[in-house]
Amino acid sequence: MLGEQDVIDTVESAGNNPKVTDITCNAHWVGPAIQEILDANPMLTFIPGDVYAACEQGAATLWTTPEGFVVTTGETDTFTGERTMLIWLAWAYKRGMNLVTKHQDFFAEQARQQGFVKMEVRSAVPKLKDYILSQGWELDTIVYTREV
């Protein structure tokens, strides 16, 4: 697990809001945190290098705060053309700090400014369901898979 000082030393405070951050300059702490997410979620098929490449190519954005980071990307509905901001990854140094509540209005505004009509977050953590729903999110889809 990364130390809090690693994050604080790397991320300059941008007020209370997350800021767009160059992943190359933050790979020393973001990469291990992404690996921590992947280790806890073995169903995910990407590697930290895929996230790095998506950010470098402009297909994803790294947002940082002294508390941790979020990686966002966009998805387009094939049938309606509507764009959704996907909060692809989220990592915090300390869990249970209500960071969804703290930053969701900021991300909603960023989504609006970038032409998205909604935001989406995905998680395989059942305990998050009640918390996320209590923050104004709606349950849209549950995905079940089975190997053949």
Side-chain angles (χ1 to χ4, degrees):
M1 178 115 27
L2 296 173
E4 182 176 18
Q5 197 61 44
D6 294 332
V7 176
I8 292 171
D9 287 346
T10 304
V11 181
E12 295 176 18
S13 178
N16 291 328
N17 292 328
K19 68 172 193 165
V20 174
T21 307
D22 183 347
I23 197 164
T24 303
C25 298
N26 291 279
H28 68 281
W29 70 275
V30 172
I34 293 170
Q35 189 61 57
E36 185 179 307
I37 293 168
L38 294 171
D39 290 346
N41 297 277
M43 76 293 287
L44 297 175
T45 58
F46 55 88
I47 61 172
D50 296 328
V51 179
Y52 179 90
C55 290
E56 282 293 302
Q57 295 167 4
T61 303
L62 172 65
W63 303 83
T64 58
T65 71
E67 298 105 349
F69 71 86
V70 166
V71 178
T72 61
T73 189
E75 294 185 343
T76 303
D77 185 292
T78 304
F79 305 107
T80 67
E82 290 184 340
R83 300 269 299 142
T84 298
M85 176 188 270
L86 172 63
I87 298 176
W88 182 18
L89 296 169
W91 179 87
Y93 171 70
K94 292 182 182 177
R95 309 303 187 268
M97 301 299 293
N98 297 323
L99 295 176
V100 171
T101 302
K102 182 175 180 179
H103 297 299
Q104 73 179 352
D105 290 341
F106 171 82
F107 282 109
E109 181 58 30
Q110 294 303 308
R112 277 190 287 280
Q113 288 178 10
Q114 295 175 39
F116 295 105
V117 296
K118 61 181 159 179
M119 295 189 311
E120 181 176 312
V121 62
R122 301 172 187 164
S123 177
V125 180
K127 288 190 226 177
L128 284 178
K129 178 184 169 193
D130 291 338
Y131 174 69
I132 295 291
L133 293 175
S134 76
Q135 300 305 307
W137 296 74
E138 296 177 11
L139 181 60
D140 187 281
T141 304
I142 297 174
V143 176
Y144 299 95
T145 62
R146 180 178 176 176
E147 290 192 30
V148 295

